[in-house]
Amino acid sequence: HIPILKKFLNGRYERYDKDLFSAFIDRDLLFSKQHGHLGFMSPFVWMFISSYEELRRRLVTQETITSLVQLEYSGFEGATVPICTFALRKGHITRQKGCYIKLADFRGPENQGPKTQEAIKNRSCSWIFNATQDNFTKIPGSPIAFWVSDQLLLAFENGNPIGSSCSTRKGMATGLNAEFVRCWHEVSISRIGIGQTRLDANISGLKWFPYANGGAFRKWYGQYEDIVNWESDGERLQTEEHESGRIRAVNLNLDYIFRPGLSWTSITSGLFSIRYLPKGFLFSSASNALFRDDESKLSLDLALLNSSVHASLSKIINPTLNANPGDIGKMPLVPIDESRVLAEDLLNLSKHDWNICERSWDFQSLPLISAATDPNPTLESNYTTWIANNKQTIAEMKRLEEENNRLFIDAYGLQDELTPEVPIEQITLTVNPTYRYGGNLTEDELWIRFRQDTIKEFLSYATGCMMGRYSLDRPGLILANAGDTLENYFAKVGKGNDGLTFQPDRDGIIPVLDGEWFEDDIVARTREFLSDTFPESSVGENLRFIEMSLGKDMRKYFCSEFYKD
């Protein structure tokens, strides 16, 4: 019956065919007399989303919203749904004020009714608003943004939408990710083309290319771990058909792939973040993107879209969890002193933070090993130095982000509404345990967990050196191709066996057993690695620090948790 229903809606309710409730509202208004009153409960998507703009404009410009209650997502038991309830008066009354109640801060069905009644009785509470719906048309798309102040409205009146000077694009859907998408470390590095133009990629003969594919909340740079099959200029993706006969992949963005830009995760958990997209990437439907002909302006866009001003303005355009390209394009940009924009500094700090982890293809070496300031360093003294450096990095990142916020708050005249402060959990650096772990841990508990994970990363890097993936004698990836041998390692790091700090295992087999049955088992080789990276006299002390940090015997860790980690 669904195809029949869709055909009926398309034929009878052409402008309101996105959902049954849209057609229902239109039909009820047709039944009503002029100045008649109507009441509805519906999804609140019509208030913001672009696909309901026709319905929204009709209610804002032709009818009168007398009252509206926007419920919190969990306003009904056992369901997470966007719901509002509202009353209309048929016919438009110019400059008429309506009463609006926003329950977004009150989680759970038990709060929705009582908080609504409390607002009705106490008109001075913070979740009730009186708004003139004529003002909604001043905002692109006319969202029902009833909480907006006059100063925020001025931002839309005085600013130019970002979309007027850049292009925002929805990302590609391959139609079969299991076939076309991999993590970069799943394939030989020699088959991956990083930092290429589209033309170079086409003639390179390479198969895999970087793929922005969503990711958790992180600002400025990172979440780049996936690659996509774009061999021969994406021949398969451009031609391979779905069982239905249509081309399987959609939104290929051929005019934008491989260009530098900005990228963001399409569906957020509540906090929006945008990241620099380097040259050589494609981008997925989980990562929409923004591009400019003048790439030097991307820094300004990056700074604005990661600021507290954007966080406030974006809730006006679309307060749902979907960050659509069209909504980003509506963001107003006011004149600003571009010489004060700090995006490059913030980007560089974030990029360095991303690249000090093995998950990055630009990983060079473990900073814990090179952090030494002591002439006779130990693992613990290096860790202490590294943590001090990390705390300085976190503080500097926080200072720069707050200065960035202050710049845009001043430019938009929002000093009375916004503050530049950034909560520590929103400083999105891997070396920031408050961001990394969240939750209700104390500061001591956060740093204890961070120390444990740092030691796990040290043991991972040590194992990488045992396998020849990394080397103490040369930064970056060494052996990262199927079929690589020890001879390939020596060809890159140095010929013969002399002069190398730590040699990888010849056969690439590292026994992980509950006893020391082989002289080259993983615990024995870890001791050897410690004696080559720190003074040999400190091996026992370093082993004690490792086991204290892990909270268990090192062999027990290797046998029980290492492979999973």
Side-chain angles (χ1 to χ4, degrees):
H1 298 298
I2 296 298
I4 298 172
L5 182 58
K6 285 185 175 180
K7 184 177 180 181
F8 176 79
L9 288 176
N10 289 337
R12 301 291 186 91
Y13 297 93
E14 183 181 354
R15 296 185 299 165
Y16 311 107
D17 59 353
K18 300 301 180 186
D19 212 320
L20 276 175
F21 80 80
S22 304
F24 185 82
I25 292 172
D26 177 60
R27 186 68 168 163
D28 275 12
L29 284 165
L30 182 64
F31 283 148
S32 303
K33 295 180 179 180
Q34 191 70 0
H35 307 304
H37 293 270
L38 305 92
F40 300 95
M41 178 175 281
S42 78
F44 65 58
V45 290
W46 68 269
M47 298 170 60
F48 312 104
I49 294 179
S50 59
S51 55
Y52 293 94
E53 189 169 342
E54 192 72 38
L55 173 64
R56 185 163 61 248
R57 284 191 179 278
R58 191 260 183 88
L59 298 185
V60 168
T61 61
Q62 298 178 37
E63 321 298 348
T64 301
I65 303 171
T66 56
S67 64
L68 183 146
V69 180
Q70 183 180 339
L71 280 70
E72 197 267 335
Y73 274 96
S74 60
F76 289 92
E77 192 70 46
T80 301
V81 288
I83 292 293
C84 67
T85 178
F86 59 101
L88 295 177
R89 182 172 180 178
K90 187 171 181 178
H92 183 69
I93 303 175
T94 303
R95 304 303 300 170
Q96 177 72 23
K97 284 194 173 184
C99 180
Y100 300 83
I101 296 174
K102 187 175 185 180
L103 302 173
D105 294 332
F106 307 109
R107 186 171 177 80
E110 69 280 0
N111 284 316
Q112 308 304 293
K115 287 298 181 181
T116 300
Q117 291 178 323
E118 185 179 339
I120 293 170
K121 293 174 183 176
N122 177 19
R123 297 300 178 101
S124 63
C125 74
S126 61
W127 59 95
I128 190 168
F129 305 84
N130 291 309
T132 304
Q133 68 186 56
D134 294 342
N135 286 335
F136 300 156
T137 60
K138 297 178 181 178
I139 305 169
S142 301
I144 311 301
F146 50 82
W147 62 90
V148 176
S149 68
D150 291 341
Q151 193 61 40
L152 282 168
L153 283 173
L154 276 176
F156 289 99
E157 292 186 83
N158 297 337
N160 293 316
I162 281 184
S164 64
S165 56
C166 70
S167 299
T168 55
R169 287 294 179 268
K170 185 175 178 62
M172 173 175 67
T174 68
L176 192 61
N177 278 355
E179 174 70 20
F180 290 102
V181 181
R182 297 283 183 274
C183 291
W184 72 269
H185 43 79
E186 291 184 274
V187 307
S188 294
I189 197 70
S190 61
R191 302 205 70 194
I192 305 175
I194 297 173
Q196 300 200 352
T197 66
R198 185 181 174 190
L199 177 61
D200 289 341
N202 187 23
I203 63 177
S204 68
L206 299 174
K207 180 174 182 178
W208 301 99
F209 297 90
Y211 194 43
N213 198 22
F217 174 63
R218 182 181 171 94
K219 293 175 280 188
W220 311 108
Y221 189 91
Q223 306 298 32
Y224 302 136
E225 299 184 59
D226 286 351
I227 50 178
V228 65
N229 178 353
W230 195 255
E231 191 173 18
S232 300
D233 201 38
E235 181 179 1
R236 281 189 62 191
L237 280 171
Q238 292 201 57
T239 60
E240 192 164 288
E241 294 183 351
H242 185 267
E243 291 80 359
S244 64
R246 63 170 176 79
I247 300 298
R248 186 189 301 278
V250 295
N251 298 323
L252 296 177
N253 308 292
L254 299 181
D255 292 336
Y256 297 94
I257 56 176
F258 292 92
R259 289 176 50 183
L262 307 178
S263 174
W264 67 93
T265 301
S266 308
I267 300 177
T268 71
S269 59
L271 293 172
F272 175 86
S273 57
I274 193 164
R275 300 172 282 274
Y276 180 68
L277 188 69
K279 183 180 79 171
F281 273 71
L282 296 95
F283 54 103
S284 80
S285 57
S287 274
N288 298 323
L290 177 154
F291 301 92
R292 277 186 181 269
D293 290 334
D294 182 358
E295 294 169 4
S296 66
K297 297 289 186 181
L298 288 172
S299 293
L300 177 59
D301 299 330
L302 183 64
L304 169 61
L305 296 173
N306 272 329
S307 72
S308 58
V309 168
H310 171 257
S312 183
L313 293 175
S314 65
K315 292 175 183 176
I316 298 171
I317 295 171
N318 182 3
T320 71
L321 300 180
N322 295 311
N324 301 311
D327 295 329
I328 297 296
K330 294 172 184 174
M331 190 58 48
L333 180 60
V334 303
I336 195 164
D337 181 0
E338 295 186 33
S339 66
R340 294 179 56 201
V341 172
L342 300 169
E344 289 296 327
D345 294 335
L346 288 156
L347 174 60
N348 288 335
L349 281 174
S350 183
K351 184 175 182 179
H352 178 265
D353 176 79
W354 180 257
N355 289 338
I356 62 174
C357 300
E358 285 185 39
R359 66 190 173 190
S360 167
W361 51 64
D362 285 323
F363 172 78
Q364 298 298 302
S365 62
L366 198 70
L368 181 62
I369 292 176
S370 57
T373 55
D374 194 315
N376 294 300
T378 63
L379 188 56
E380 183 174 11
S381 69
N382 274 22
Y383 178 78
T384 301
T385 301
W386 190 55
I387 290 305
N389 294 340
N390 288 345
K391 289 181 178 180
Q392 291 179 357
T393 300
I394 296 165
E396 176 64 3
M397 193 78 171
K398 191 172 190 297
R399 183 191 71 79
L400 289 170
E401 288 211 27
E402 290 177 348
E403 188 60 34
N404 183 66
N405 283 342
R406 192 172 291 110
L407 171 65
F408 285 100
I409 288 170
D410 291 346
Y412 284 75
L414 298 174
Q415 296 89 338
D416 295 335
E417 300 187 39
L418 299 176
T419 61
E421 282 71 31
V422 181
I424 189 65
E425 64 271 14
Q426 292 180 26
I427 302 301
T428 57
L429 297 174
T430 311
V431 298
N432 175 16
T434 311
Y435 156 71
R436 187 167 171 177
Y437 306 121
N440 298 315
L441 300 176
T442 65
E443 186 170 0
D444 285 344
E445 290 170 335
L446 288 168
W447 285 108
I448 288 171
R449 185 172 174 184
F450 186 85
R451 183 181 64 198
Q452 183 182 63
D453 283 349
T454 299
I455 294 305
K456 290 179 178 181
E457 289 160 7
F458 173 80
L459 295 176
S460 172
Y461 178 71
T463 308
C465 290
M466 296 173 207
M467 301 296 290
R469 181 172 179 82
Y470 305 113
S471 171
L472 293 173
D473 297 290
R474 177 175 166 174
L477 289 168
I478 309 299
L479 302 187
N481 296 293
D484 275 350
T485 66
L486 193 59
E487 284 63 38
N488 297 120
Y489 179 90
F490 289 144
K492 291 184 177 181
V493 176
K495 293 182 179 180
N497 297 343
D498 298 329
L500 298 181
T501 306
F502 180 83
Q503 291 187 41
D505 193 84
R506 176 162 289 279
D507 58 15
I509 299 173
I510 310 293
V512 182
L513 300 168
D514 59 0
E516 200 163 335
W517 306 108
F518 297 91
E519 63 181 13
D520 65 343
D521 89 323
I522 197 164
V523 174
R525 293 239 59 193
T526 300
R527 292 195 187 101
E528 182 184 345
F529 183 80
L530 285 170
S531 68
D532 284 344
T533 50
F534 297 96
E536 192 168 355
S537 60
S538 66
V539 169
E541 183 181 347
N542 292 335
L543 285 171
R544 284 191 294 273
F545 181 70
I546 288 172
E547 294 185 344
M548 182 270 292
S549 301
L550 294 174
K552 62 181 61 178
D553 174 81
M554 185 167 66
R555 184 174 296 280
K556 187 174 182 180
Y557 166 73
F558 275 124
C559 289
S560 62
E561 297 177 35
F562 171 73
Y563 199 79
K564 181 180 67 176
D565 288 339

